[in-house]
Amino acid sequence: MLDTPLGQGEAIIATQTVAPVTTARRRRGRIDIVGPLLVFAAFIGIWYLMHHWALRAIWDKPNFLVPTPHNVVRTAFFTNENRATLVGGLRVTATVAFLGLAIAIVVGIGLATLMARRQWFERSMWPYLVALQAIPILALVPLIGSIWGYGLSARTLVCVIISLFPIVANTLFGLLSADKGQHDLFTLRGVSPSTRLWKLQFPAALPAIFAGFRIAAGLSVIGAIVGELFFKRGDKGIGILLDTFRNRNNYPMAYGALIVAALLGIVVFVIFGLISRLVVGKWHESTRS
Amino acid sequence: MTVAVDTRLSFDDVSMTFPDGTEALRHVSFGVGRGEFVTVVGPSGCGKSTLLRIASGLEQQTDGAVDVDRGDLGYVFQDATLLQWRTVEGNVALLAELDGMSRGERARRVAENVSLVGLDGFADKYPRQLSGGMRMRASLARSLVMDPAIFLFDEPFGALDEITRERLNDELLSLFQRNGFGALFITHSISEAVFLSTHVLVMSARPGRIVGTHDIPFSYPRPPELRFDAAFAELCGEVSTSLRSAHQ
Ligand SMILES: Nc1ncnc2c1ncn2[C@@H]1O[C@H](COP(=O)(O)OP(=O)(O)O)[C@@H](O)[C@H]1O
Ligand SMILES: [Mg+2]
């Protein structure tokens, strides 16, 4: 009953799943530290180059559009008042992103579980989940705004919508991933569907579920910022700050907000990677293609 | 074959045709009694696995009757089918846990059987940390915990190297003697079949029919050296001949 492969689902996961289903555990070497540092140095170097040479040659306004990295860091993070503004924005954005993610996790796992249990439900729901995924979030945000207003709940809804699909798709894929022999084993003992779900399908799904969380978490942060950029009202999150500073031509602060937004995304990604490793790292085959 | 006094499993004129029209088994009849170790050899695709799936109730035969107590049946698959997220101990406990065995009894039996299959010291290892042979031992222990009256084995050692396979054969026979279960074993190795069994059945190519029965007279315990015995070689030759004629 459960061995029907989810053809379209897998295909979509394959393109969707940025994070591999496996908790990649390569052997760590010096390259893992030196490599990124070199890239970082090159990036900063190009930044200075843009500031000193490229932009002067083109627009003659070096200090305006592309402030130097040290200027950005000093202005945004070493000026108490500015830092407080950014941290406040971070708090607002992170709250919305986490709230949206949490709702998406609960709803997504619930939907996926029902879909794994009842094939007619899976078949009925799947086209709409794909559609949800296909709608450009930028087109949806203004509509949500005009219906729901511009408060916390509307912004959270944007996060839920943007992060729901990877959770459903990965959880469903995971729930259907236990192999046939393992299912036979449970069938032979005449177990109830809920025992099968709880002792076989859910544990088997955990690696995929965490891969889904990881993707969804990143998307939720993006959703929170995009929501703010559009609504421009309510609590001042990173997205609103970004827009405000850009409008005021306060580029050092705009870059600062951008860095904070990126850091939030990275931190969320790393946290979910760590949780995943904590839960499934011990037993999950890391080298499964 | 004569049906033993204490029959644990019997097939009576069993036929199987899958819904897609594949005829897998035709008029299969035989029994496995207490103290009997019956092995079926036959070309691949002839319906051997189907036979076990029918015995266990995973498939329903289209004709004929099967008599077995399914609550008292152990089934060892070709794959160890261990749950990756459980340790050896957790895996060995699985069937007892699903059956609602009390915690104390379960712990006692798990410890006993982990030790019995030679996995002492590996109780807290995960499947991915085990060799193929060790996984098979864990799989065996998982079924042994239930102390079944009849054991089905579907090419359990097929994927293992020769040395590991022979060692596991020796250990399986000592378990067979110790626990007194009836066994229905599938293999494509003739020497494995002759070494383990009281009876070797030869199955024809699909649709599978029993085309030859060989009684193996050696008494248990069977020493590993039996494999080099002239009488052993002769029996292997007989089975091989009847298997070859079944292929045609
Ligand atoms: N569920 C099924 N539906 C249709 N054909 C099947 C099914 N299961 C097995 N078969 C076919 O039945 C035949 C016997 O299969 P099997 O019992 O697995 O063979 P063996 O174990 O002897 O190699 C094969 O031809 C196989 O393809
Ligand atoms: Mg088979």
Side-chain angles (χ1 to χ4, degrees), chain A residues 21-195:
Chain A
V21 177
T22 56
T23 46
R25 194 168 24 178
R26 293 167 302 155
R27 196 175 306 137
R28 303 217 161 250
R30 217 183 316 162
I31 186 70
D32 289 293
I33 297 167
V34 176
L37 280 180
L38 283 178
V39 172
F40 183 70
F43 174 71
I44 298 294
I46 290 172
W47 191 335
Y48 275 108
L49 200 72
M50 295 267 292
H51 172 78
H52 285 296
W53 176 76
L55 286 179
R56 181 171 318 171
I58 302 166
W59 288 303
D60 200 27
K61 277 185 181 171
N63 244 330
F64 179 59
L65 279 176
V66 184
T68 55
H70 62 261
N71 183 10
V72 169
V73 171
R74 195 177 51 221
T75 311
F77 304 121
F78 286 92
T79 312
N80 281 339
E81 191 190 336
N82 288 344
R83 190 178 55 230
T85 308
L86 288 177
V87 169
L90 178 65
R91 194 171 298 138
V92 171
T93 305
T95 304
V96 170
F98 275 109
L99 199 60
L101 181 65
I103 294 172
I105 285 175
V106 172
V107 173
I109 289 184
L111 275 177
T113 304
L114 281 175
M115 288 166 81
R117 283 279 284 273
R118 300 270 178 260
Q119 234 187 36
W120 62 262
F121 188 69
E122 181 202 326
R123 293 190 182 179
S124 313
M125 287 302 289
W126 191 252
Y128 300 100
L129 286 164
V130 174
L132 188 69
Q133 161 78 6
I135 296 170
I137 195 72
L138 287 178
L140 206 59
V141 170
L143 282 178
I144 292 173
S146 46
I147 298 169
W148 284 67
Y150 303 95
L152 199 71
S153 55
R155 293 192 205 170
T156 306
L157 184 64
V158 173
C159 295
V160 174
I161 288 174
I162 199 174
S163 57
L164 190 63
F165 184 79
I167 292 174
V168 176
N170 281 281
T171 304
L172 182 58
F173 172 75
L175 289 174
L176 299 178
S177 73
D179 71 41
K180 193 164 176 298
Q182 294 175 335
H183 274 293
D184 283 346
L185 196 65
F186 278 69
T187 306
L188 284 172
R189 291 338 286 187
V191 301
S192 66
S194 63
T195 302

Side-chain angles (χ1 to χ4, degrees), chain B residues 18 20 22 24 44-50 206:
Chain B
F18 284 104
D20 67 355
T22 307
S44 70
C46 74
K48 304 181 296 296
S49 295
T50 304
R206 198 164 58 80

Side-chain angles (χ1 to χ4, degrees), chain B residues 221-236:
Chain B
R222 294 178 178 179
E225 305 80 58
L226 177 64
R227 297 188 180 89
F228 309 110
D229 198 282
F232 183 86
E234 197 175 322
L235 278 167
C236 288

